[in-house]
């Protein structure tokens, strides 16, 4: 395994944001008369806004008020961010620093919108470590389609076969695997089932474990 690049998901992997999203969905759902709508996050991890809208309409019908739901969700999400902040996941900053110090290319492949993703990462001082990124509003096909990871590798000038994809969600693992990358999962809200685990090269509790793995890989290669 010759690794030249690390490509990161964002929500639930770098940022402890998925639980805040879930809270904001429950808030918006209650305002609109839908109870416990936040439970659907387990079925939509890794989806971009287009695929998420299709999912909600398949569950609640074509008349589901997606625009109003998104408006209320963002209002609550950013309110929580301003009041409580969004935490950085364990090992995220350390791994990004390690990657830059050891000459790895670093990319982002997030289903979040570009304006939101960049602002979120800049706010916690992480965007500076990235060589490039691809976002949910710049691809036609959402995860688990491989498009976003193929474009992320292209954006940072690396081949998928030499790139580790770091993901917390099953849809992201399927996307990275289909792109021909080296999938590594650090589960957050969703644990991998047998099929998803079989697609992963490794499954680790935190991103700190990825540093240990890279150290071992470099030692074996004599680098």
């Amino acid at each position: 395994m010759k690794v030249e690049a690390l490509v990161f998901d964002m929500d639930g992997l770098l940022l402890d944001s998925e639980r805040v999203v879930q809270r904001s969905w429950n808030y918006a759902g209650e305002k609109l008369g839908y109870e416990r709508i936040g439970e659907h996050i387990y079925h939509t991890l890794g989806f971009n806004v287009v695929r998420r809208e299709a999912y909600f309409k398949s569950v609640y019908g074509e008349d589901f008020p997606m625009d109003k739901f998104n408006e209320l969700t963002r209002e609550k999400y950013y309110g929580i961010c301003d009041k409580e902040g969004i935490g950085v996941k364990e090992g995220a900053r350390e791994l990004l620093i390690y990657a830059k110090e050891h000459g790895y290319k670093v990319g982002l492949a997030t289903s979040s919108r570009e304006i939101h993703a960049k602002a979120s990462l800049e706010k916690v001082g992480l965007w500076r470590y990235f060589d490039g990124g691809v976002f949910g509003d710049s691809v036609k096909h959402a995860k688990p389609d491989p498009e976003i990871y193929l474009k992320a590798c292209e954006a940072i000038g690396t081949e998928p076969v030499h790139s580790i994809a770091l993901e917390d969600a099953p849809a992201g693992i399927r996307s990275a695997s289909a792109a021909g990358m080296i999938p590594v999962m650090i589960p957050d809200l969703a644990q991998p089932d047998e099929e998803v685990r079989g697609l992963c090269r490794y499954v680790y509790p935190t991103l700190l474990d990825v540093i240990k793995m890279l150290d071992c890989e470099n030692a074996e290669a004599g680098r």
Side-chain angles (χ1 to χ4, degrees), residues 125-220:
L126 296 185
W127 180 242
R128 72 185 72 173
Y129 298 108
F130 288 87
D131 299 306
V134 179
F135 309 87
D137 53 351
S138 56
V139 294
K140 291 182 179 179
H141 306 289
K143 299 173 184 178
D145 189 275
E147 180 186 2
I148 193 167
Y149 272 110
L150 291 171
K151 286 187 173 180
C153 289
E154 183 179 358
I156 61 173
T158 188
E159 294 294 326
V161 69
H162 297 306
S163 305
I164 289 177
L166 295 157
E167 271 283 352
D168 70 292
I173 290 296
R174 293 188 180 100
S175 174
S177 177
M181 300 177 71
I182 305 163
V184 175
M185 188 173 187
I186 294 85
D188 183 40
L189 290 182
Q191 293 296 320
D193 60 17
E194 185 176 349
E195 179 257 334
V196 170
R197 187 173 287 271
L199 298 175
C200 297
R201 181 68 63 90
Y202 302 105
V203 178
Y204 291 129
T206 77
L207 289 169
L208 292 174
D209 297 288
V210 180
I211 296 176
K212 297 175 186 176
M213 179 267 289
L214 291 171
D215 274 339
C216 289
E217 191 268 339
N218 287 333
E220 291 175 2

Side-chain angles (χ1 to χ4, degrees), residues 34-94:
Y34 299 89
E35 293 186 4
R36 298 183 63 79
I37 202 169
E39 295 302 307
H40 288 286
I41 197 170
Y42 298 101
H43 305 290
T44 61
L45 293 169
F47 288 13
N48 64 4
V49 291
V50 174
R51 189 156 185 237
R52 190 163 59 242
E53 179 174 356
Y55 171 84
F56 276 120
K57 289 188 174 182
S58 74
V59 173
Y60 294 109
E62 286 297 319
D63 60 346
F64 181 77
M66 198 70 204
D67 288 343
K68 187 61 177 177
F69 178 77
N70 285 337
E71 178 186 332
L72 290 169
T73 293
R74 288 168 185 161
E75 172 189 300
K76 184 65 173 179
Y77 180 91
Y78 289 116
I80 294 172
C81 289
D82 290 341
K83 185 177 181 180
E84 303 175 17
I86 295 292
V88 175
K89 296 287 283 188
E90 183 180 5
R93 195 178 306 277
E94 292 88 342

Side-chain angles (χ1 to χ4, degrees), residues 109-127:
T110 176
S111 298
S112 289
R113 296 170 301 134
E114 182 173 1
I115 190 171
H116 167 72
K118 285 184 176 179
S120 298
L121 292 173
E122 284 174 350
K123 192 169 186 178
V124 295
L126 296 185
W127 180 242

